Amino acid sequence: MKLKKRIFILPGLIIVLALFFFIKKIENFANQDINLSQELIFTVPAGTGRAGLETLLAQHKLIEDKQLLPWLFRLKPEWVKFKAGTYRLQKGMTLKAVLQLFASGKEAQFAIRFVEGSRLSDWSKILQNAPYLKHEIENQAPKALLDALDMKEGESLEGWFYPDTYLYTAGTSDMELLKRAHEKMKTIVEQEWENRGKNLPYQSAYEMLIMASIIEKETAIDSERTKIASVFVNRLRLKMRLQTDPTVIYGLGDKYTGTIFRSNLNTFTPYNTYMIDGLPPTPIAMPGLAAIKAAAHPAVTEYLYFVANGDGGHTFTTNLVAHNKAVSLYRQRLKQDK
């Protein structure tokens, strides 16, 4: 009788042991590092099923034994609920970590950086070269862009996008990024306009934005921005022309070759502040927060002039005699440095 029991128990024990070792094999398979020597951007297309994912993993040579994958999915059915998307796979990740990532739907984030003082033309080039971005704005008429951003016809797009680093996932459109940057800039301009200093010579928040763009192009030194702002505000109050080179450069467009000539200063454009009164018609760049704050809260000074000092900063003066002297010193400095 005991012998018969052993005969029945032994096959069952063998099956249990075989099942145990097979499960361990599957678990070891899941815990093995994928075959990856460097970061890989991996896309799971929409509609991909189990068989499709198995094929994709095998095509990228991320797994060695494709036959074990169906068994792993049976053992871990929650990993079968993977989501379409583009994912960032790192060297050292296990197959388990990869499948959990696909199931989480946490897609790879890509970063795009727009710097302070850049122009819309610069943004267009950056967007065109951004990876995994869907291009919608290329070849679109300005009116279509204005409509998409809820801006009025005739308004300028220049200046209305906030320079910052923006994260996006694969398939995001360039228009969506522009909308985010535009909304952020609108919010900041509105806030600074509401909290601006008293008795500033701006007729609107837009004029403050124009001023901020000029300040942005004139200096990158934090301590100078409010002084630069004070010079231009003082000039506007006294009905003096701004006479700022960055606006002239913007008005020249592609004709600017790196040097401003006397003939450029004597050639009319709507942005030649040596010839026009007041502010130019639009911003000349995308200003950052510091420049916008400087435009909204300029320093209280009597400065009317400034010129480069040769050390990266500027010399500020209150009258033309002192300004001409500062210009002379700067030119001497340039000769000495040659």
Side-chain angles (χ1 to χ4, degrees):
M1 197 68 177
K2 289 183 179 179
L3 183 60
K4 287 184 179 180
K5 284 184 178 180
R6 288 176 183 173
I7 292 173
F8 283 115
I9 291 172
L10 188 58
L13 183 60
I14 292 172
I15 293 172
V16 169
L17 287 173
L19 183 60
F20 172 78
F21 285 113
F22 184 69
I23 291 174
K24 289 299 292 183
K25 184 178 181 179
I26 298 298
E27 289 177 346
N28 290 336
F29 172 64
N31 288 315
Q32 286 180 352
D33 289 353
I34 56 173
N35 185 24
L36 200 61
S37 60
Q38 60 184 6
E39 180 182 275
L40 173 68
I41 301 300
F42 188 94
T43 298
V44 179
T48 301
R50 281 193 201 181
L53 183 60
E54 292 167 11
T55 301
L56 285 172
L57 292 172
Q59 285 177 347
H60 284 84
K61 299 180 180 179
L62 298 179
I63 55 175
E64 295 180 0
D65 193 348
K66 179 183 173 183
Q67 304 303 319
L68 291 176
L69 199 56
W71 292 102
L72 178 58
F73 285 148
R74 290 184 183 182
L75 188 63
K76 295 288 185 180
E78 64 270 23
W79 294 351
V80 183
K81 299 176 181 178
F82 46 82
K83 298 176 177 64
T86 298
Y87 300 90
R88 194 183 302 274
L89 305 186
Q90 305 283 358
K91 178 183 177 182
M93 288 182 73
T94 63
L95 178 58
K96 173 183 176 181
V98 170
L99 295 176
Q100 287 176 332
L101 177 63
F102 293 165
S104 73
K106 294 179 181 177
E107 293 190 66
Q109 294 276 326
F110 302 94
I112 190 167
R113 171 68 177 160
F114 302 109
V115 299
E116 294 85 349
S118 54
R119 298 179 182 177
L120 184 61
S121 57
D122 301 318
W123 284 49
S124 297
K125 292 175 184 176
I126 293 170
L127 289 169
Q128 286 172 7
N129 295 323
Y132 302 98
L133 196 64
K134 187 168 77 174
H135 300 288
E136 292 182 347
I137 65 172
E138 193 174 5
N139 300 323
Q140 279 203 28
K143 186 180 184 307
L145 293 177
L146 290 171
D147 289 343
L149 297 168
D150 292 326
M151 295 177 66
K152 297 176 182 178
E153 187 173 357
E155 290 185 346
S156 172
L157 293 168
E158 194 74 86
W160 270 120
F161 302 101
Y162 187 72
D164 202 350
T165 298
Y166 294 90
L167 299 178
Y168 65 94
T169 55
T172 300
S173 71
D174 46 14
M175 178 59 77
E176 184 178 335
L177 285 178
L178 285 182
K179 285 181 179 179
R180 285 164 57 188
H182 179 59
E183 289 301 318
K184 191 168 184 178
M185 181 62 90
K186 279 203 309 181
T187 298
I188 288 172
V189 170
E190 288 170 4
Q191 289 174 346
E192 294 303 320
W193 178 249
E194 288 298 318
N195 298 317
R196 69 190 184 280
K198 296 180 179 180
N199 302 319
L200 294 178
Y202 312 136
Q203 299 301 311
S204 64
Y206 188 57
E207 288 194 354
M208 185 185 74
L209 181 64
I210 294 172
M211 176 65 80
S213 73
I214 299 172
I215 296 166
E216 188 66 70
K217 297 300 289 186
E218 282 286 8
T219 185
I221 301 175
D222 287 342
S223 61
E224 285 194 348
R225 289 193 178 96
T226 57
K227 292 181 183 178
I228 296 283
S230 75
V231 170
F232 292 136
V233 164
N234 289 340
R235 281 178 161 263
L236 287 175
R237 285 171 174 157
L238 294 172
K239 307 298 181 183
M240 295 175 66
R241 288 177 175 169
L242 296 185
Q243 297 184 325
T244 170
D245 292 351
T247 62
V248 176
I249 293 170
Y250 187 83
L252 289 173
D254 294 337
K255 294 179 182 178
Y256 178 66
T257 58
T259 303
I260 297 179
F261 298 99
R262 176 63 61 180
S263 59
N264 298 140
L265 300 182
N266 293 329
T267 300
F268 176 81
T269 77
Y271 295 88
N272 187 346
T273 50
Y274 287 82
M275 300 188 74
I276 67 166
D277 297 326
L279 291 163
T282 74
I284 60 171
M286 313 295 180
L289 181 59
I292 297 171
K293 283 185 174 294
H297 300 278
V300 179
T301 76
E302 295 182 359
Y303 295 139
L304 293 174
Y305 304 90
F306 62 90
V307 66
N309 59 18
D311 293 322
H314 295 85
T315 299
F316 295 84
T317 50
T318 61
N319 59 77
L320 187 57
V321 173
H323 174 64
N324 288 337
K325 184 177 179 180
V327 171
S328 179
L329 289 172
Y330 173 62
R331 288 173 177 169
Q332 290 177 21
R333 177 73 178 271
L334 290 179
K335 290 180 181 179
Q336 292 171 0
D337 292 341
K338 286 184 178 179

